[in-house]
Amino acid sequence: MQDPAYREGVVDLLGALAYGELTAFERLAEDAKMAPDTHDKAALAAMASAEFGHFEALRARLRELDADVDEAMAPFVAAVDSFHDMTTPSDWLEGLVKAFVGDALANDFYREVAAYVDVDTRELILATLADSGHSAFVVDRVRGAIAADPRIGGRLALWGRRLVGEALSQAQAVVADRDSLSALLAGTVDRPGMDLATIGRMFVRLTEAHADRMATLGLAS
Amino acid sequence: MQDPAYREGVVDLLGALAYGELTAFERLAEDAKMAPDTHDKAALAAMASAEFGHFEALRARLRELDADVDEAMAPFVAAVDSFHDMTTPSDWLEGLVKAFVGDALANDFYREVAAYVDVDTRELILATLADSGHSAFVVDRVRGAIAADPRIGGRLALWGRRLVGEALSQAQAVVADRDSLSALLAGTVDRPGMDLATIGRMFVRLTEAHADRMATLGLAS
């Protein structure tokens, strides 16, 4: 944290994660309105509330670093909002798939990135991402809907592809646009970072894990 | 809890509170979307998250009583949804006033009612309602907006009156419609309840406390 460029990169990273969690809270809470009954509404609300807990932990770490939380999030508002605007679920099932694969994809990405930051920041990120254990409910609902009407599987598979496409395109735009964040990921002479081959391998891992999750839901990817 | 009629009344009461908290979560989260900046968005999201915590506590108590949570909430869905549909904030400030006075009015009502139930249920209700401490933020924003444009005060004062009117009218409809809930409040030979004079005094206390809160916001009531 003595190196100002490094600190700036970490603040950027935490700011991006924090705004991501805050909007995840907001969108999940909104999707909860589409729930067919109060039980499912409560289940999605619990996922939303867990995201808000993550936001609070990230905000606390930003404050520890004497960063202005709102300034730290500001550079990422446009990209994250765009992602959500481009992927607004049109029904309850699309909301569930987004909650399940979107959240997990973001978590995988954060875990990858966490390898390139200091121990304290890494531990916070990993703790933030601890599985909230609500996903069994999503798997049950999506598989049940496909069993009842197999055509739903085709539509949701396309939806899953769109989610990943938008997520990767916004993530790419953010990293390209933020020098401090790309510098953090690229590393320095003293601190190893990601070269292009590493980034390529990371993308392979992310998309493979995504395909596994789609399969868990009974969906092609 | 040995008396089936009493148990049914308590399950009704907890069900009403639980659905109220679940929808409060949902509506506050939705209102957070209108926040002018990420700081205020996070503040309203924190209030929403606290409501979800209340919901979880009430749900746990319903399960302890071997009640089906969704069945317990079902009789109150229509009235609570109506209340929210009739009082959808048209802007950020209306959302803040609703969060502040609506939440507090509901809490006052629950506290009054808690006097007529067993110790365990009462302690849970009172713990659920412990002030989440986010209201200073609302007071600051509403007073600031009125200072900047005094005409806003007139509009928000009308809004506050509408909130209370709708809340009381839905609450009255619910109690009139649910025999087990009215029986709980009316009491029995062995268990003192509320007579009409008591209910009248309760309404006076509720509206006085509401007027105090409106004054705290700088609003006529």
Side-chain angles (χ1 to χ4, degrees):
Chain A
M1 288 302 162
Q2 304 308 316
D3 173 2
Y6 174 74
R7 181 188 169 281
E8 202 184 324
V10 169
V11 167
D12 253 22
L13 180 63
L14 294 173
L17 301 194
Y19 192 66
E21 295 292 349
L22 184 57
T23 54
F25 158 82
E26 195 169 76
R27 301 297 175 133
L28 285 171
E30 193 176 1
D31 295 346
K33 286 180 73 179
M34 296 190 284
D37 55 46
T38 47
H39 177 274
D40 284 10
K41 188 191 282 292
L44 212 62
M47 294 176 79
S49 234
E51 306 285 9
F52 187 72
H54 298 169
F55 165 76
E56 287 181 311
L58 293 161
R59 179 174 62 182
R61 177 70 179 149
L62 280 165
R63 286 177 179 160
E64 267 174 32
L65 298 175
D66 284 324
D68 181 295
V69 178
D70 301 292
E71 277 174 26
M73 295 194 288
F76 309 104
V77 167
V80 174
D81 285 357
S82 279
F83 168 73
H84 285 298
D85 291 343
M86 301 293 281
T87 60
T88 302
S90 66
D91 65 13
W92 171 240
L93 288 170
E94 288 189 4
L96 287 185
V97 172
K98 182 174 173 181
F100 185 77
V101 305
D103 194 51
L105 183 70
N107 288 0
D108 282 353
F109 175 69
Y110 299 162
R111 260 187 217 101
E112 295 274 355
V113 168
Y116 298 92
V117 297
D118 58 288
V119 177
D120 287 351
T121 306
R122 181 182 316 143
E123 285 183 353
L124 167 77
I125 292 176
L126 296 180
T128 299
L129 303 179
D131 193 295
S132 42
H134 298 292
S135 43
F137 144 80
V138 175
V139 173
D140 177 70
R141 292 302 184 276
V142 173
R143 295 195 84 107
I146 296 169
D149 177 1
R151 286 169 306 176
I152 287 176
R155 175 165 69 84
L156 292 180
L158 282 174
W159 172 244
R161 267 203 284 277
R162 194 161 127 214
L163 288 171
V164 176
E166 287 296 338
L168 294 182
S169 117
Q170 295 297 339
Q172 194 275 330
V174 161
V175 174
D177 194 46
R178 292 295 295 174
D179 289 346
S180 46
L181 199 55
S182 7
L184 177 77
L185 298 181
T188 59
V189 176
D190 305 323
R191 194 173 48 74
M194 286 179 169
D195 58 16
L196 275 179
T198 313
I199 291 177
R201 285 192 296 274
M202 177 183 81
F203 271 90
V204 170
R205 283 191 299 273
L206 290 177
T207 49
E208 281 175 357
H210 169 71
D212 289 347
R213 280 187 294 268
M214 291 292 279
T216 303
L217 291 175
L219 297 172
S221 57
Chain B
M1 288 303 161
Q2 303 309 316
D3 173 2
Y6 174 73
R7 182 188 169 281
E8 202 185 324
V10 169
V11 167
D12 252 23
L13 179 64
L14 294 172
L17 302 195
Y19 191 68
E21 295 292 348
L22 184 57
T23 53
F25 159 81
E26 197 170 74
R27 302 298 175 131
L28 285 171
E30 193 176 358
D31 296 345
K33 287 181 71 178
M34 296 190 284
D37 55 49
T38 48
H39 178 275
D40 284 10
K41 188 190 284 290
L44 212 61
M47 293 176 79
S49 234
E51 306 285 9
F52 187 72
H54 297 169
F55 165 76
E56 286 182 312
L58 293 161
R59 180 173 61 181
R61 176 71 178 150
L62 280 165
R63 287 176 178 160
E64 267 174 31
L65 299 175
D66 283 324
D68 182 293
V69 178
D70 300 291
E71 278 175 27
M73 294 194 289
F76 310 104
V77 167
V80 174
D81 285 357
S82 278
F83 168 72
H84 285 299
D85 291 343
M86 301 292 281
T87 59
T88 302
S90 65
D91 64 14
W92 171 240
L93 288 171
E94 288 189 2
L96 288 184
V97 171
K98 182 175 173 181
F100 185 78
V101 305
D103 195 52
L105 183 70
N107 288 0
D108 282 353
F109 174 69
Y110 298 162
R111 258 186 220 104
E112 294 274 356
V113 169
Y116 297 92
V117 297
D118 59 287
V119 176
D120 286 352
T121 306
R122 181 182 315 144
E123 284 183 354
L124 168 77
I125 293 177
L126 296 180
T128 299
L129 303 179
D131 194 293
S132 42
H134 297 292
S135 44
F137 144 79
V138 174
V139 174
D140 177 70
R141 293 301 185 276
V142 173
R143 296 195 82 106
I146 296 170
D149 178 1
R151 285 167 308 174
I152 287 175
R155 176 165 69 84
L156 292 179
L158 282 174
W159 172 245
R161 266 202 285 275
R162 193 161 127 215
L163 289 170
V164 176
E166 287 296 336
L168 295 182
S169 116
Q170 295 297 341
Q172 195 274 330
V174 161
V175 174
D177 195 45
R178 292 295 294 173
D179 288 346
S180 46
L181 199 55
S182 6
L184 178 77
L185 298 182
T188 60
V189 176
D190 305 323
R191 196 173 45 75
M194 285 182 171
D195 57 17
L196 277 179
T198 313
I199 292 178
R201 285 192 297 274
M202 177 183 80
F203 272 90
V204 171
R205 283 192 297 273
L206 290 177
T207 50
E208 281 175 357
H210 169 71
D212 288 347
R213 280 188 294 267
M214 291 291 280
T216 302
L217 291 175
L219 298 172
S221 57

